[in-house]
Each structure stands twice: as structure tokens, then as C-alpha cells.
Amino acid sequence: MIEHVVIDHHLDEQAGVYVVVIGVPVVSQMQKAREDGTVVLDAETQPITESKVVGYLDVEDFVFDAGDPRWFVDGERRADEDVAADQRGVILDALAERAAVREKMAAQACEVTTMPGVGGLLREDSE
Amino acid sequence: MRPLAAEIQSPGALGLIPVGGQISGPFSSLPVFPGAVFAWADGGLIDRTAFSTFFGVAGHVYNGGVDPGSNKVRKPDKRGRVSVGADNFGQGEAGRIPNSNRALGQNGGEERHAQTSAELAVHAHVVSAYAMSVAHGQLAYGAGSDGFTGVGTMPMNNTGSGTAANVMQPYEVDVWVVRVA
């Protein structure tokens, strides 16, 4: 299962919404280098590598209305930690539901018969 | 024959744009059509009772299937985005974007992409091996000749910057509106 990370999650009071942005991090193993480009070596003269997040794929955003009763208890806004956990749980449920639909559609995909000659030249006499 | 602009703006042409339909243009204010309501396609929330037809068409697809709460529905968010045809409507899956998100209304993509080593084609870096020895205070080296001993690691300096590349398709910037009633 693809593991998303939370790239951004904030309350925009002016717009009256919570915004949640998720994505799949793209991690690259890179040799640690000095500013001049030379590789940093360890005591055994081996290059030191480090993991770096160089970007995100499948970035997607969700919003929740800030005035929704789910974020309040007795008229008071709930703790940010609780609201954040609830909202991320809702998103996880939606992603799981989407994955289930996708699996179901894949299972229902009609069978096809591959005809001979795939990968060959279109003009048979040009070999 | 293409309709003229005046014909498009006539009330009779409203049927061409159903509720939930989107149009783009150089709009600085919302288009006004008698009998229709347009809103910015900016991902904002609107009341789903007041715009029940829109909610009936779109549901929560423009919020990833998530109910934003407070009896609201999210409009499409075309800011900085282009539309892509779903891969699996009509006759079924076309398989043209099998690795992309395919749920209706789902968003994604990136303006710039930083390539990772995993995305490079398989390739080799060739380094000639040299043997070395130190004798009489002088460092000697050679291509594996007799008398040279000791093989160590020869690090190669990094090259490239890791700067993200622009992956935008040719584009023209417009403003998008959506018919919500």
C-alpha cells in the first residue's frame, strides 16, 4: 500500500476551512557533498550517502469546513491534535474506499486476446 | 458551424452547459447568464442544499470523496490545473494513464520534477583501477604494473545539481468557472 505523508495541514480562518495536503515522498539516496561538489568520505574513505526527499508525487488536497460540528465540543473548538487525527482518519477511509473501488474495477476488466505479431514490424516483407 | 459569441451568450444556449459543466476564458468577473449561476472553479465550499443540482451531479468528487462537513460541497479547483480525461469512462479502461490517479475529481501532478537515481536508465560508471605504493617517500602509481600494491577506493565527485526540471506541457492560462445552478 502506498504510504502518503502529510505535506501540509492548517486552519485557514479567513477562508473558514481546514486544508490537508498529502503526497507520496520521492526519496533519493545521494552522496553527501560539500559546497564545491566534492564527496564527503567517512574514516574508511567510503562516500557518505544520505536520504533526501526531493519531491512529492500524487499530491492531493482536501478541505473541511472549519465550522463543522465535528471539530467542536460544547461550543469549544477541540484540540488541534484531536481534530488533525480525526481529519486524517477521514481521509484514510476515503483513500481505502477508493482503492477498493479500483480493485473491483480491475477485477471486472474484460479479458482481451492478444493477436500474433505484436512487437513485430507492421510491414511483414521488410525484414 | 461554430456558434457566434452572441449566440453562446443567449439564454437559449444555456442548455449547452449543464450544471456541473465548466468553461474557461479571460474572465475578471463571473459570467452572467439569465437563469444560470456560475461560480469560480476555485475549490471553495458552497451550500449543498442551495446548490442541490450541482451536489447531485458532483457529490464529493472534488474533495477526494471526503465530506467537508457543514452541509457543504466543494467546487472543482482549477487553479493551476488542467483537466485530464478519466481513463475509465464510457467503454471502460483505456490504459493510457494506468499509473496515475483515476478517481473522478481526483487531483495530482506537479509543475516541476526532481529526478531521482531510481528514475535513471541503468548505466555504468567505468573507473580504471590503479595500484599504488609509497616508496622512498614518493607516491607512485600505475595501471596494475608489477611492484605496485594496495588497491583502495577511488571516489568520484558528484556531478549535476538535482535541480527540478519543468514538466509543464505547452499551456495558455485561463480562468475557469463552473455552473452550479
Side-chain angles (χ1 to χ4, degrees), chain A residues 16-17 26-33 37-39 41 44-47 54-71 90-91 94-95 97-98 102 105-106 109, chain B residues 43 45 62-72 74 77 81 88 93 99-103 105-110 113-119 152-153 155-159 161-162 164:
Chain A
V17 293
V26 178
V27 179
S28 192
Q29 283 288 332
M30 304 175 78
Q31 289 186 350
K32 197 170 183 180
T38 55
V39 177
L41 305 176
E44 296 175 345
T45 69
Q46 296 295 319
V54 295
Y56 296 92
L57 294 176
D58 292 339
V59 175
E60 188 170 12
D61 58 76
F62 304 81
V63 298
F64 295 93
D65 190 83
D68 190 76
R70 287 176 289 180
W71 326 130
V90 170
I91 291 170
L95 294 181
E97 191 174 327
R98 186 190 296 170
R102 194 174 295 176
M105 288 175 62
Chain B
L45 299 177
Y62 294 116
N63 201 35
V66 169
D67 182 351
S70 300
N71 194 47
K72 291 185 177 176
R74 192 180 189 192
D77 190 353
R81 289 180 177 145
N88 54 356
E93 195 164 302
N99 299 311
S100 303
N101 298 323
R102 283 173 286 175
Q106 197 170 339
N107 56 64
E110 55 185 351
H113 181 71
Q115 200 169 33
T116 69
S117 53
E119 293 168 331
T153 302
M156 300 172 68
N157 285 350
N158 288 341
T159 186
S161 65

Side-chain angles (χ1 to χ4, degrees), chain B residues 71-144:
Chain B
N71 194 47
K72 291 185 177 176
V73 57
R74 192 180 189 192
K75 295 177 289 178
D77 190 353
K78 275 294 188 298
R79 296 173 301 172
R81 289 180 177 145
V82 298
S83 286
V84 63
D87 195 68
N88 54 356
F89 68 91
Q91 295 185 70
E93 195 164 302
R96 297 190 177 103
I97 49 173
N99 299 311
S100 303
N101 298 323
R102 283 173 286 175
L104 195 61
Q106 197 170 339
N107 56 64
E110 55 185 351
E111 179 191 23
R112 301 175 69 82
H113 181 71
Q115 200 169 33
T116 69
S117 53
E119 293 168 331
L120 297 174
V122 175
H123 62 286
H125 295 273
V126 179
V127 178
S128 298
Y130 287 87
M132 302 179 184
S133 68
V134 178
H136 306 296
Q138 291 186 321
L139 177 66
Y141 62 93

